[in-house]
Amino acid sequence: MVNPTGSVTTGEWQFWVDRGGTFTDLVARRPDGDIVTHKLLSENPEQYEDAALQGIRDLLGLGKQDDIPAEKINAVKMGTTVATNALLERKGEPLLLVTTKGFRDSLRIGYQTRPKLFALHIELPEMLYKRVIEVEERIGANGELIRPLNADAARKSLQEAYDAGLRACAIVFMHGYRYPGHEQQVAKIAKEIGFTQISTSHETSPLMKLVSRGDTTVVDAYLSPILRRYVDRVASELGDTRLMFMQSNGGLTDARFFQGKDAILSGPAGGVVGMVQTSAMAGFTKVIGFDMGGTSTDVSHYGGEYERTFETEVAGVRMRAPMMLINTVAAGGGSILHFDGARYKVGPDSAGADPGPACYRKDGPLTVTDCNVMLGKLAPEFFPKVFGPNADEALDVDIVRERFAELSDKINAATGDNRTPEEVARGFLFIAVENMANAIKKISVQRGYDVSEYVLTSFGGAGGQHACMVADSLGMKKIMLHPYAGVLSAFGMGLADLRVLKEKAMEVALDTSALPGIGAALDGLAIDGHEEMRAQGVEEKRITIERKLHIKYQGSDTSMVVDDGPLDDIISAFEAAHRQRFGFNTPEKTMIVEAVAVEVIGAGDRINDPEMPETGAPADAKPLSRREIFVEDQWQSCPFFDRDTLPAGAKIDGPAVIVESTGTTVIEPGWQAETTRRGHLILTRVEELKRARAIGTEVDPVMLEIFNNLFMNVAEQMGTVLEKTAYSVNIKERLDFSCAVFDLNGDLIANAPHMPVNLGSMSESIKAVISKHGATMKAGDVF
């Protein structure tokens, strides 16, 4: 049986769940193929134990204590922040670290980077392990036995730790990623003693670099027991139902194979999958994802394949596990507005859900959301009435106007300006938009992509209010909003494939003689991955395998991921990727295959958005009402539309506002919205963008902050290229360098947050170069 969504129905329910920090979103496919959505608070202990299970009961029409009928459910696919929250709050499993003698402090020392550059009192992040055991053993870099394993001493120390109450251990030995014999022996002893969670570095992160391999193994041992308890609790209530979890790499996995190290970006990864798959339904293959919530904004890039990062730092812990490349900035609807006497600032602190923005009736501070209320873009009558003591009142516009009037008086007194409250609100909004645009530059422009060729896919509760302004800042001409934009991370769970990623360190020069060894390593990984995929119950015809190589120039630290193939193809793919990212190649340098990787994909269900029938001539959209909104420096009458009643083919010119149950979309002047037959909202810039803001000699507190951020962005991008292409360990690991922008007199304009000691003398050095070479200096010179 095939239903209108174009996917095969099983006569059973499917539930796709994103358990976020604040809200848990559910999207369910009913037995007849129709899609329904549901939203509830993630933590509400008075009402229910677990939000995901309660959401499933709600959609099935069950009571709080009723058993969930497994026979009615085909599958539950889920993303969860359980592991992320445990890491942020340091509430993982008490842990033992077992390492080579003499290296007990190597994870504490790390790379000697400073967490806060200008802090005189440095507070290092708390380590995840409670206790360390040093084991007499050492295998050299080339496999030579330097010190044999003292198994008896290891057993005695492990027993003492076990008796002290520790049940989880991480085993990280020097060069264990390549020569795992000693790690395997100690793991066997730990199992005999009774440890219930044993993570070894050669299984968790079989790659070079003791520090990040060790950290990843520690994270895995620290989080896996917490995750296992959560998975078991959900599984126990779902009976025989197929339960799958989203991994940080953007692929689902069976609940039995879900590990701590793969759970950090479980929820946001679903959003990236949802963005890519829904954009593809609309015919877009080059996409920037813009997911704006209350506290932060997640941005991502897709140009034909999922982009992953293999080195990430979360909550002060380095990890080497494949994760979706997602850049998060502290700019959301709840970001607080500040004026420091000379310039406007937005965030990074947030009003959160409690007290929330000023308009939420809980005496909260002014935020980005309040800017939109002040400008009329968020109208109280079209916003859920969930405020006040009885949770039945609308947004409070009066308090917002009052607060902005006070703020504009304060700003005008300090700066001698004469700005209206509306202009002040618009200035803050402009800064928030530029902050989000700069975040997008980091995952696109900084990596060599031209964003003007891309579509901006906007989702999350606050995305639609700012999408046109963000697109204008970046020079993008098209925006897409899916009907489920407000719950797209949950919808993405249902669209995802199962994925198994396997990696192995190589460190061999790329030439003809190395190809057989590389091929054999890839074959071995492919067999392992294929077996794991079959163990998850995936049919043979749904399985495909992709083979990848991680290649870098000898001495550098940054590898490019390219497809396996003939030698000439590998070299040209690497050079193209390197030139795109850094703007140059050095063909005289040897290319090194750092690692090989295999991705085994088990194709998921294909789901298409249903098409509305052809109706001949497009019908006109009828507005709900007209309201005054502040655009182009003045109040203008503007139509408000209900998205659910828009007919296919309807075209709406900006300025206009489209409201729906999970969000508000503001169509700025010069933009036009059109609804497609699949219910997608496509926004197109139909008038050439006019850069209205003239830059004069007067100090403008808004433009001061905008240019401060833009110059800062330039300095940060310089730093990224320097770090990624450096040969010096001091530069690429300790980050002992500085980048800054100077004016033609050698005075500092902006510096990135790099080493402060260098910045102190940098300006004098620049002035010395200018005084000596100023007369002959020309573009392209390097000193």
Side-chain angles (χ1 to χ4, degrees):
M1 175 187 167
V2 177
N3 71 305
T5 61
S7 58
V8 177
T9 60
T10 57
E12 298 166 315
W13 286 78
Q14 269 211 19
F15 293 98
W16 313 326
V17 187
D18 173 31
R19 188 189 187 284
T22 310
F23 285 102
T24 291
D25 297 339
L26 289 95
V27 177
R29 192 175 70 199
R30 292 154 52 114
D32 60 7
D34 282 354
I35 301 279
V36 287
T37 65
H38 187 43
K39 211 178 185 77
L40 64 175
L41 283 167
S42 292
E43 299 293 339
N44 195 349
E46 295 85 39
Q47 299 296 321
Y48 41 81
E49 273 186 38
D50 182 75
L53 293 169
Q54 183 59 37
I56 291 172
R57 285 192 171 95
D58 290 349
L59 287 168
L60 289 171
L62 301 171
K64 287 179 189 174
Q65 304 303 323
D66 293 353
D67 288 342
I68 294 172
E71 69 282 358
K72 287 189 180 176
I73 303 173
N74 171 264
V76 175
K77 302 174 182 180
M78 192 168 168
T80 174
T81 54
V82 167
T84 324
N85 293 346
L87 184 60
L88 292 171
E89 296 166 15
R90 294 294 195 263
K91 288 183 178 170
E93 191 78 355
L95 182 66
L96 169 71
L97 172 64
V98 184
T99 191
T100 305
K101 190 168 186 182
F103 291 88
R104 67 178 301 124
D105 294 320
S106 42
L107 300 190
R108 157 56 74 216
I109 295 165
Y111 295 133
Q112 297 180 40
T113 52
R114 296 165 65 113
K116 288 202 177 79
L117 276 172
F118 299 98
L120 294 174
H121 176 59
I122 298 170
E123 289 183 18
L124 292 170
E126 184 189 337
M127 298 312 285
L128 302 184
Y129 50 82
K130 282 263 188 289
R131 188 168 179 164
V132 187
I133 289 175
E134 292 187 294
V135 173
E136 278 186 48
E137 71 82 40
R138 184 79 186 268
I139 296 176
N142 299 312
E144 67 278 18
L145 184 65
I146 295 172
R147 189 185 296 141
L149 172 68
N150 185 338
D152 294 338
R155 183 181 290 275
K156 184 166 174 280
S157 302
L158 281 164
Q159 186 66 55
E160 285 169 6
Y162 184 86
D163 294 342
L166 296 176
R167 295 292 178 269
C169 70
I171 302 170
V172 185
F173 289 157
M174 283 294 284
H175 307 299
Y177 71 100
R178 187 172 277 177
Y179 306 106
H182 287 178
E183 284 192 1
Q184 288 164 341
Q185 284 174 259
V186 172
K188 187 165 175 268
I189 294 168
K191 194 171 183 186
E192 287 165 5
I193 287 171
F195 281 89
T196 51
Q197 172 65 41
I198 303 161
S199 295
T200 56
S201 80
H202 70 274
E203 288 176 306
T204 307
S205 177
L207 299 170
M208 207 167 168
K209 288 192 176 177
L210 177 73
V211 172
S212 44
R213 172 165 56 91
D215 261 354
T216 310
T217 311
V218 164
V219 164
D220 192 62
Y222 183 72
L223 297 180
S224 288
I226 300 282
L227 207 57
R228 179 63 37 221
R229 286 198 280 277
Y230 180 70
V231 169
D232 289 347
R233 193 170 101 212
V234 174
S236 68
E237 296 221 24
L238 291 173
D240 298 336
T241 302
R242 178 120 202 250
L243 177 61
M244 288 176 263
F245 281 88
M246 174 60 77
Q247 305 169 93
S248 302
N249 61 39
L252 292 164
T253 186
D254 190 286
R256 292 165 299 156
F257 294 90
F258 195 35
Q259 282 179 271
K261 73 178 173 75
D262 296 321
I264 298 298
L265 292 183
S266 179
V272 178
V273 174
M275 165 209 56
V276 169
Q277 301 280 15
T278 54
S279 301
M281 289 179 211
F284 303 124
T285 52
K286 287 185 158 187
V287 193
I288 298 287
F290 171 58
D291 175 7
M292 184 178 179
T295 310
S296 61
T297 295
D298 292 334
V299 297
S300 49
H301 166 270
Y302 181 81
E305 62 180 0
Y306 290 119
E307 291 207 343
R308 299 195 178 97
T309 177
F310 293 86
E311 284 258 1
T312 320
E313 187 167 314
V314 180
V317 182
R318 294 158 294 261
M319 271 178 289
R320 267 190 116 171
M323 296 191 190
M324 285 289 195
L325 183 63
I326 297 170
N327 187 22
T328 302
V329 282
S335 295
I336 298 174
L337 315 181
H338 303 275
F339 176 68
D340 67 1
R343 64 183 192 189
Y344 298 23
K345 294 187 79 170
V346 177
D349 47 344
S350 169
D354 189 12
C359 59
Y360 278 17
R361 298 181 180 272
K362 279 191 175 179
D363 199 27
L366 283 177
T367 68
V368 171
T369 296
D370 296 309
C371 293
N372 285 310
V373 172
M374 183 70 202
L375 301 174
K377 294 175 177 182
L378 281 182
E381 54 269 49
F382 303 125
F383 203 87
K385 292 180 175 53
V386 292
F387 307 105
N390 301 322
D392 59 357
E393 293 181 61
L395 291 171
D396 187 344
V397 181
D398 297 335
I399 189 72
V400 172
R401 288 183 182 142
E402 193 183 302
R403 295 274 186 87
F404 269 112
E406 289 167 8
L407 184 59
S408 67
D409 290 346
K410 178 183 164 188
I411 290 171
N412 292 340
T415 62
D417 268 355
N418 188 22
R419 290 177 192 235
T420 64
E422 292 86 350
E423 287 170 330
V424 168
R426 194 198 52 188
F428 276 113
L429 200 55
F430 196 51
I431 290 165
V433 164
E434 290 295 321
N435 288 348
M436 293 183 280
N438 283 337
I440 290 173
K441 286 177 192 168
K442 284 189 178 171
I443 47 119
S444 55
V445 180
Q446 189 166 303
R447 298 167 67 83
Y449 301 110
D450 177 5
V451 286
S452 64
E453 302 168 0
Y454 285 72
V455 168
L456 186 72
T457 294
S458 169
F459 53 107
Q465 297 162 35
H466 308 92
C468 288
M469 295 170 76
V470 169
D472 280 343
S473 175
L474 294 162
M476 298 175 77
K477 305 281 195 299
K478 262 202 186 339
I479 299 167
M480 176 187 149
L481 292 117
H482 190 267
Y484 301 130
V487 290
L488 202 69
S489 291
F491 193 55
M493 306 296 165
L495 305 177
D497 299 319
L498 276 89
R499 291 174 187 263
V500 173
L501 273 72
K502 297 281 183 189
E503 301 159 311
K504 186 179 182 191
M506 294 295 289
E507 265 338 281
V508 294
L510 179 62
D511 55 32
T512 316
S513 63
L515 292 180
I518 292 168
L522 283 164
D523 291 344
L525 293 179
I527 290 166
D528 289 351
H530 186 271
E531 282 176 5
E532 193 171 312
M533 189 59 80
R534 290 293 287 153
Q536 298 192 39
V538 180
E539 304 164 48
E540 191 64 48
K541 65 181 181 191
R542 284 177 172 252
I543 298 176
T544 51
I545 296 176
E546 293 178 0
R547 298 154 68 98
K548 307 272 184 188
L549 308 180
H550 294 234
I551 301 176
K552 62 182 183 183
Y553 282 125
Q554 187 162 22
S556 118
D557 219 23
T558 305
S559 57
M560 301 285 153
V561 181
V562 299
D563 291 330
D564 180 38
L567 186 60
D568 290 347
D569 293 0
I570 293 171
I571 291 170
S572 59
F574 169 74
E575 288 182 336
H578 197 277
R579 178 171 290 282
Q580 181 184 40
R581 180 81 59 86
F582 300 118
F584 69 92
N585 281 321
T586 41
E588 68 278 6
K589 296 220 164 73
T590 306
M591 291 175 195
I592 302 290
V593 180
E594 180 183 52
V596 295
V598 159
E599 185 165 353
V600 185
I601 303 163
D605 300 335
R606 291 281 77 93
I607 296 162
N608 288 314
D609 293 325
E611 288 200 14
M612 301 179 210
E614 286 279 13
T615 54
D620 284 339
K622 303 234 177 340
L624 288 167
S625 67
R626 297 186 75 86
R627 292 277 181 282
E628 294 277 307
I629 75 167
F630 190 83
V631 283
E632 296 181 316
D633 296 337
Q634 60 184 1
W635 287 98
Q636 299 182 30
S637 174
C638 161
F640 278 65
F641 296 89
D642 179 358
R643 180 165 178 177
D644 293 339
T645 63
L646 291 180
K651 292 186 176 179
I652 299 168
D653 289 319
V657 177
I658 298 175
V659 293
E660 57 189 296
S661 59
T662 55
T664 299
T665 302
V666 178
I667 303 158
E668 297 287 339
W671 286 83
Q672 184 185 68
E674 182 179 358
T675 49
T676 69
R677 284 179 59 204
R678 289 193 187 275
H680 301 153
L681 199 58
I682 308 295
L683 277 49
T684 309
R685 182 157 258 297
V686 288
E687 290 172 23
E688 201 58 40
L689 176 64
K690 295 189 286 287
R691 295 282 180 191
R693 282 182 173 261
I695 300 166
T697 52
E698 294 297 310
V699 175
D700 178 332
V702 175
M703 296 313 284
L704 190 66
E705 177 66 0
I706 296 283
F707 275 95
N708 171 48
N709 290 343
L710 285 172
F711 286 133
M712 183 91 147
N713 202 250
V714 170
E716 283 179 2
Q717 290 189 35
M718 296 192 315
T720 300
V721 173
L722 179 61
E723 177 197 339
K724 299 295 185 197
T725 53
Y727 289 83
S728 156
V729 173
N730 248 3
I731 288 179
K732 65 192 181 186
E733 287 186 359
R734 288 186 64 225
L735 307 185
D736 186 2
F737 62 83
S738 295
C739 293
V741 180
F742 298 84
D743 67 11
L744 85 179
N745 301 318
D747 291 320
L748 180 74
I749 294 173
N751 63 270
H754 298 146
M755 273 293 185
V757 65
N758 305 345
L759 290 165
S761 60
M762 213 164 169
S763 188
E764 295 307 315
S765 316
I766 303 284
K767 284 174 178 170
V769 170
I770 290 172
S771 70
K772 187 169 183 184
H773 301 284
T776 57
M777 207 182 270
K778 60 185 185 297
D781 285 353
V782 177
F783 297 89

